[in-house]
Amino acid sequence: ECTENAIWRRYMLPVIFGFAELSIIVATGFFIHARVQKKLKSQTSQFYLAITFYVAIFVNLLANMMFYIEWCIGDADSASVHILLSLTAYLHPVQSVMLCIILFLRLVSIFKDTIFAVSRDLIIGFVIYVTVSLLFCFAGFGVAFSGCKPCITIGLLLIGVAVVMYIGAILTLNGIFVHKLRKIYNAAAADAVNKAKNERFVNIITRTTVLTIVSTSFILLYNILLFLMGSVHSPVYTVLHDIVFIADLYTNFLSVYWSFAYYHRWYVVFCGLCHRSCFTCCNAAGRRRSHHGEMVSGDIETEMAIESKPTEMTFQTSESPRSVEQMTIT
């Protein structure tokens, strides 16, 4: 309640929301400018999907900021507060599902036309699964906000089912990324001839996996705090909940933003330590498996390169791949 955290939610939290929104506006402006200048290379569909996601994150932050201002400073029972509460309730699962789909599409595009390609059945099943979880969430909010007091329990139950399904999707997505990452490192370790060339591809996979794990970790942490909302009543919990919520949205934004190769240097600045640690551990594991004779089906015997299509990666034997900074994975 605002009475328990008056200073935090009335004055400090809106300022943090404001800074987050301003930074997203500036970053999106640079993103569009880089695209216009043809420095940011990606398929048109991937570019507009990213822009749509950025807008969803921004609107989510803006709606939450306006909600806390109206709730804590204005009339807590006004119609605008209820409208903003409903809007924020719907916006968060929308951007969460968008992120899940974008991360999965990123996984598909990276391994497209390679021996590690994601199967068509898995793609269809995953999209249907996360869509159903979103429908459960919308149905739950619709029932809970219907004004029928006996229906609130049913609405909360539907929301709980949706959250559990979404967490399952997130854990599955992380598992697929880690599994693919392990296979790539094993194959690269077995192909000592093209070690330098393979490491460029491995760097892209590692970067994508690190960004996915970081963003989904905050999603899981926020959902855990959400489950504790009704049972924990503490100013410390409230502050922690608000901070994790903002961090969740912002890491989601950065996960998509830094996945474009044009921003690789920024990724190295903020995530370089995690990247190097993951690279070192996976390399060591790959070498151990290679020494024990565990070869991956379809070893890397040809050079990995990225085609002119920004989201398509194939195996070929001609030109050597471009540097990691020039590669575009969306």
Side-chain angles (χ1 to χ4, degrees):
E1 296 291 339
C2 283
T3 54
E4 298 176 357
N5 301 274
I7 296 178
W8 167 252
R9 282 194 162 171
R10 287 183 183 178
Y11 307 109
M12 298 178 67
L13 187 58
V15 172
I16 296 175
F17 273 120
F19 274 115
E21 293 157 16
L22 181 62
S23 64
I24 287 178
I25 291 175
V26 173
T28 304
F30 283 124
F31 184 81
I32 296 173
H33 178 73
R35 172 71 176 187
V36 172
Q37 297 295 319
K38 297 183 179 180
K39 297 178 180 178
L40 181 71
K41 298 180 180 179
S42 67
Q43 287 185 344
T44 303
S45 59
Q46 299 293 330
F47 171 76
Y48 283 111
L49 182 60
I51 290 292
T52 304
F53 181 69
Y54 301 158
V55 171
I57 294 288
F58 174 79
V59 173
N60 202 339
L61 288 168
L62 180 62
N64 275 276
M65 182 183 72
M66 294 176 63
F67 167 74
Y68 282 113
I69 291 175
E70 286 287 329
W71 185 38
C72 298
I73 299 178
D75 183 5
D77 295 322
S78 65
S80 60
V81 170
H82 292 287
I83 293 173
L84 288 170
L85 177 61
S86 301
L87 182 61
T88 56
Y90 283 104
L91 281 173
H92 192 266
V94 167
Q95 68 85 26
S96 296
V97 169
M98 282 186 67
L99 174 72
C100 200
I101 292 176
I102 289 173
L103 293 177
F104 188 72
L105 290 177
R106 182 192 303 167
L107 177 71
V108 172
S109 66
I110 289 175
F111 294 106
K112 184 179 180 181
D113 297 328
T114 72
I115 57 175
F116 307 105
V118 180
S119 68
R120 183 172 178 270
D121 292 340
L122 180 58
I123 296 172
I124 295 174
F126 189 85
V127 172
I128 292 175
Y129 183 84
V130 295
T131 302
V132 170
S133 70
L134 182 62
L135 293 176
F136 267 104
C137 188
F138 278 4
F141 283 129
V143 172
F145 293 149
S146 64
C148 172
K149 290 186 178 180
C151 298
I152 294 178
T153 303
I154 299 176
L156 293 177
L157 180 61
L158 290 173
I159 294 171
V161 171
V163 170
V164 171
M165 290 182 66
Y166 182 73
I167 290 176
I170 288 296
L171 293 176
T172 301
L173 184 63
N174 278 275
I176 295 173
F177 262 107
V178 172
H179 175 67
K180 294 290 186 182
L181 183 69
R182 181 180 62 83
K183 293 184 70 174
I184 287 293
Y185 272 92
N186 292 339
D191 183 25
V193 177
N194 297 312
K195 180 179 178 181
K197 300 171 184 177
N198 294 338
E199 281 186 355
R200 294 169 183 158
F201 180 54
V202 167
N203 271 322
I204 295 176
I205 308 304
T206 305
R207 179 183 65 187
T208 307
T209 304
V210 168
L211 289 172
T212 301
I213 291 176
V214 170
S215 60
T216 54
S217 295
F218 277 97
I219 291 174
L220 293 174
L221 179 58
Y222 175 71
N223 280 283
I224 290 172
L225 292 175
L226 206 59
F227 273 115
L228 298 175
M229 182 177 291
S231 57
V232 179
H233 303 281
S234 168
V236 176
Y237 166 81
T238 301
V239 174
L240 180 62
H241 168 273
D242 295 341
I243 291 176
V244 171
F245 174 75
I246 297 174
D248 174 25
L249 292 178
Y250 211 80
T251 52
N252 292 348
F253 168 75
L254 292 177
S255 178
V256 175
Y257 198 81
W258 286 344
S259 67
F260 290 86
Y262 181 70
Y263 298 102
H264 177 73
R265 288 182 177 84
W266 285 101
Y267 163 78
V268 171
V269 170
F270 290 95
C271 303
L273 179 61
C274 294
H275 183 98
R276 287 190 296 271
S277 300
C278 181
F279 188 84
T280 301
C281 293
C282 292
N283 253 340
R287 284 195 296 269
R288 285 197 299 271
R289 292 176 66 88
S290 178
H291 291 160
H292 284 83
E294 294 188 43
M295 304 293 287
V296 179
S297 177
D299 293 335
I300 301 178
E301 297 177 350
T302 57
E303 181 177 337
M304 296 178 179
I306 296 181
E307 294 282 345
S308 57
K309 293 182 180 180
T311 58
E312 185 173 343
M313 181 171 291
T314 62
F315 292 89
Q316 61 183 37
T317 56
S318 55
E319 300 178 10
S320 59
R322 294 170 287 176
S323 63
V324 175
E325 290 79 4
Q326 294 174 316
M327 292 178 176
T328 302
I329 295 295
T330 58

